[in-house]
Amino acid sequence: MSSITWGILNYLILAAIANVAGGLIIYIKKIWSDRALHALMAISAGLLLSIAILELIPDVAESNKFNPVYILIGMLLIFFLERWMPHSHSPNDTQEIINTKNALVGSIFGMMIHAFFDGFAIVVSFEMDTRIGIMVLVAIILHKIPDGVTISSIVFSISKNKSKAILSALIMGVATIVGGFAAWLITGFFANGDTVLVIALSLTAGIFLHVSAVDLLPIINHSRERLVVLSFILSILAYLIMQWILGMLPATGL
């Protein structure tokens, strides 16, 4: 493997570890409150929304006037996948949607798809620009920890088996790595790699919009905690500061 490939693999492994770290919380009950988990989601939502609107969409729209169609396709893709498979970002919501083993399997598969696209987004973002890749990686890691808590809580609530709960978080981590390699293969397989990369980034922008606006923001809106709302606002300000700092780096893709 080249050094570039090892770099991408390290980022994917780091994101996968975040899933497993969230799952491990099931072993230390109440170590993180819902308030803290929701604050992490709020930070992730602010970063993903900022990246999609201020970074990805302007770039892909500028290169081709038809690229916004792929942004819409990215949103619809996640919409229909999450409609088909039960999916939750909040441990408190799991009992309402998970009451049979069949639904449990569906929930795990649905969150695996979500994790797959997390890995996909990490790779295409780094291939576009290192600066964007860093911000995308941070945003994804922040919501992968609550995702790990969610899936392990679902599995443990039904199976009463902590090993299976941790295994489910590990499966999500593997799905993240698989998604990253899928993006790497797709963008490298076609002769016109730049066009494929732009389409992949457009899909990523749509996915980010859906995840932040549909999956994460409703949790923030329903929260009574000022910390959660403040975390969302500060994450957007943090994005602008990060963009300014990283803007001093040369714009090079991995």
Side-chain angles (χ1 to χ4, degrees), residues 27-150:
Y27 276 107
I28 313 173
K29 190 176 181 181
K30 301 296 185 183
I31 189 172
W32 279 15
S33 65
D34 288 342
R35 181 170 177 252
L37 292 174
H38 289 169
L40 275 180
M41 293 183 203
I43 295 172
S44 181
L47 289 175
L48 290 177
L49 199 61
S50 299
I51 292 167
I53 295 176
L54 301 178
E55 196 77 51
L56 297 183
I57 293 177
D59 286 345
V60 300
E62 182 181 5
S63 61
N64 190 314
K65 66 178 181 180
F66 293 108
N67 284 335
V69 173
Y70 295 108
I71 297 174
L72 179 60
I73 291 174
M75 292 188 69
L76 293 175
L77 177 64
I78 297 300
F79 171 76
F80 285 113
L81 287 175
E82 291 189 355
R83 291 278 293 182
W84 179 42
M85 292 294 180
H87 179 69
S88 172
H89 271 89
S90 174
N92 289 333
D93 297 335
T94 58
Q95 292 303 321
E96 297 180 5
I97 64 171
I98 305 299
N99 47 33
T100 68
K101 289 187 177 181
N102 288 337
L104 171 61
V105 172
S107 182
I108 292 174
F109 188 67
M111 295 192 73
M112 281 178 59
I113 292 173
H114 181 81
F116 176 92
F117 283 109
D118 281 342
F120 188 95
I122 289 170
V123 171
V124 297
S125 298
F126 270 105
E127 288 192 1
M128 177 184 180
D129 192 314
T130 302
R131 297 171 298 176
I132 298 175
I134 291 172
M135 289 184 282
V136 168
L137 179 65
V138 171
I140 286 177
I141 286 176
L142 285 174
H143 82 252
K144 275 191 162 296
I145 294 174
D147 279 353
V149 175
T150 297

